[in-house]
């Protein structure tokens, strides 16, 4: 397995890696612990979506810096699930967390990272960071809506045209498979209660026919409702976690699609990981994407998260999901 820099990133620290269906990023022990804990609490008797882990990328284990750079690195065992390659020396080195690559199989991924909560730090951070992030929250929709667009990347076909909204925060990136609009962190920080709906509407490309666009937005809305129900029952405190929205804007997948057949290309939940059971897929980059769902909603970024049994639900995060549901209702009108 050979990791290379991931070409598609919505927000966050630089240096994310991928190897086919596998994603890796440097992280703190707290995030590794949270993933391991969420997975161990998975209760199969509950409906899909009722477990927090259902909303998280599949956790595969960890790698040390040395191992991730080695062409021989093998994280995956075919039966999946936890392979902690180098547990003994690991404590001394920075670790990569190894997850399901949420964009695997997508030809033209559109991605959106929305940070939830008004309070963005836990009690492990320095006073300087606490004050700095309190200021960011107070000046943005993090404070007012408990949610903030952290970054967005949207397929723009062959066009160089930018939308007029906050266009100084948008860059056009050219790739072999077309052009992308990259909305930087100041796009999301500049959005207000008044224009956040317009800002989020830019995530859904115009090249998708209106009734299919509506089906896509409806699927995200249904996922958000189920995610909300899950959070209400979860005793956690998640600071600076993000909702990660993605869909494949590949024109070949949308242009021929009829609304009645949309459900065959997309699902509320996708079980398993495309490509994991078929080694030959990992290296090829076309014709295979019809296997993976058109879109996904996942909860990511748990470096400041913990399970807090007996303490009730995470109001700070839930209010953000409530407000996001309202915005999606408006987008559907
Ligand atoms: P950070 O602490 O740097 O903010 P995140 O976990 O939020 O770390 O990840 C940063 C970015 O990496 C996200 O905005 C997203 O674009 C990408 N990313 C994170 N997890 C995955 C994944 N499992 N698959 C694909 N992309 C991912
Ligand atoms: Mn993040």
């Amino acid at each position: 397995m050979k990791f290379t820099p991931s070409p598609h990133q919505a927000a966050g620290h630089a240096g994310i890696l991928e190897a086919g269906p596998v994603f890796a990023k440097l992280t703190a022990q707290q995030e590794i612990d949270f993933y391991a804990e969420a997975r161990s609490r998975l209760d199969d008797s509950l409906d899909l979506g009722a477990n927090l882990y259902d909303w998280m990328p599949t956790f595969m284990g960890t790698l040390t810096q040395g191992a991730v750079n080695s062409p021989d690195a093998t994280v995956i065992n075919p039966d999946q699930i936890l392979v902690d390659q180098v547990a003994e020396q690991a404590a001394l080195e920075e670790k990569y967390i190894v997850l399901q690559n949420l964009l695997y199989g997508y030809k033209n991924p559109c991605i959106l990272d929305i940070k939830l909560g008004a309070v963005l730090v836990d009690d492990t951070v320095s006073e300087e960071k606490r004050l700095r992030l309190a200021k960011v929250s107070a000046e943005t929709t993090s404070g007012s809506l408990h949610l903030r667009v952290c970054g967005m990347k949207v397929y723009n076909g062959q066009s160089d045209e930018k939308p007029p909204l906050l266009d100084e925060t948008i860059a056009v990136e050219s790739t072999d498979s077309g052009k992308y609009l990259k909305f930087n962190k100041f796009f999301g920080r500049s959005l207000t209660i008044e224009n956040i709906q317009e800002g989020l509407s830019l995530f859904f490309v115009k090249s998708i026919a209106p009734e299919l666009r509506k089906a896509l937005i409806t699927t995200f809305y249904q996922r958000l409702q189920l995610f909300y129900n899950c959070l209400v029952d979860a005793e956690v405190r998640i600071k600076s976690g993000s909702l990660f929205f993605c869909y494949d804007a590949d024109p070949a997948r949308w242009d021929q699609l009829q609304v009645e057949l949309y459900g065959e290309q997309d699902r509320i939940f996708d079980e398993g990981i495309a490509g994991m059971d078929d080694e030959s897929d990992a290296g090829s980059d076309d014709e295979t994407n019809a296997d993976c769902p058109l879109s996904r909603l996942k909860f990511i970024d748990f470096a400041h998260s913990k399970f807090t049994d007996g303490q009730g639900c995470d109001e700070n995060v839930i209010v953000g999901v409530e407000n996001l549901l309202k915005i999606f209702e408006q987008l559907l009108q």
Side-chain angles (χ1 to χ4, degrees), residues 28-266:
Q29 189 61 39
Q30 192 171 347
E31 182 162 40
I32 295 164
D33 292 346
F34 190 83
Y35 269 95
E37 181 72 28
R39 188 180 59 188
S40 76
R41 288 172 181 238
L42 183 62
D43 179 351
D44 286 328
S45 71
L46 302 181
D47 289 341
L48 205 51
N51 290 287
L52 195 62
Y53 189 65
D54 295 333
W55 298 98
M56 297 162 65
T58 303
F59 173 53
M60 297 165 177
T62 62
L63 276 173
T64 58
Q65 193 133 27
V68 89
N69 290 329
S70 150
D72 306 326
T74 48
V75 206
I76 301 313
N77 91 41
D79 307 308
Q80 292 171 28
I81 312 307
L82 194 62
V83 185
D84 196 335
Q85 275 221 314
V86 259
E88 284 145 73
Q89 73 194 90
L92 303 170
E93 289 185 60
E94 269 203 298
K95 270 196 265 185
Y96 284 82
I97 187 166
V98 182
L99 303 169
Q100 165 193 16
N101 178 5
L102 297 170
L103 302 178
Y104 179 64
Y106 283 8
K107 196 154 192 173
N108 303 117
C110 296
I111 55 184
L112 164 64
D113 181 318
I114 296 182
K115 201 180 274 290
L116 296 174
V119 178
L120 301 171
V121 296
D122 59 15
D123 47 22
T124 67
V125 302
S126 66
E127 179 71 357
E128 180 276 324
K129 187 167 180 183
R130 191 179 66 77
L131 290 171
R132 180 161 47 84
L133 293 190
K135 185 162 184 285
V136 171
S137 178
E139 292 170 349
T140 64
T141 57
S142 288
S144 53
L145 296 172
H146 289 228
L147 68 95
R148 183 174 91 237
V149 174
C150 269
M152 189 155 88
K153 184 169 171 180
V154 180
Y155 182 61
N156 210 33
Q158 300 308 321
S159 170
D160 284 318
E161 205 178 320
K162 294 196 243 176
L165 180 66
L166 301 165
D167 65 341
E168 71 283 1
T169 64
I170 309 170
V172 181
E173 181 186 86
S174 291
T175 74
D176 289 346
S177 66
K179 299 190 175 171
Y180 288 84
L181 300 174
K182 292 183 74 175
F183 300 73
N184 70 26
K185 68 179 175 191
F186 297 107
F187 175 79
R189 286 189 188 189
S190 310
L191 291 174
T192 64
I193 290 187
E194 280 71 36
N195 64 10
I196 187 146
Q197 184 194 334
E198 183 187 357
L200 285 177
S201 76
L202 301 175
F203 178 57
F204 299 99
V205 298
K206 297 277 184 334
S207 56
I208 298 176
E211 57 290 3
L212 286 168
R213 242 169 89 102
K214 188 163 189 182
L216 175 65
I217 298 172
T218 301
T219 300
F220 278 126
Y221 180 71
Q222 291 167 338
R223 291 181 179 123
L224 282 170
Q225 286 178 311
L226 291 166
F227 177 63
Y228 176 85
N229 294 343
C230 171
L231 275 185
V232 166
D233 287 333
E235 296 188 301
V236 287
R237 293 296 177 268
I238 291 169
K239 300 291 194 280
S240 265
S242 282
L243 278 174
F244 183 76
F245 297 72
C246 59
Y247 68 94
D248 191 358
D250 179 5
R253 297 189 77 179
W254 291 96
D255 287 355
Q256 305 302 322
L257 192 60
Q258 283 143 17
V259 180
E260 309 79 65
L261 299 176
Y262 167 84
E264 289 179 15
Q265 289 281 303
D266 212 353

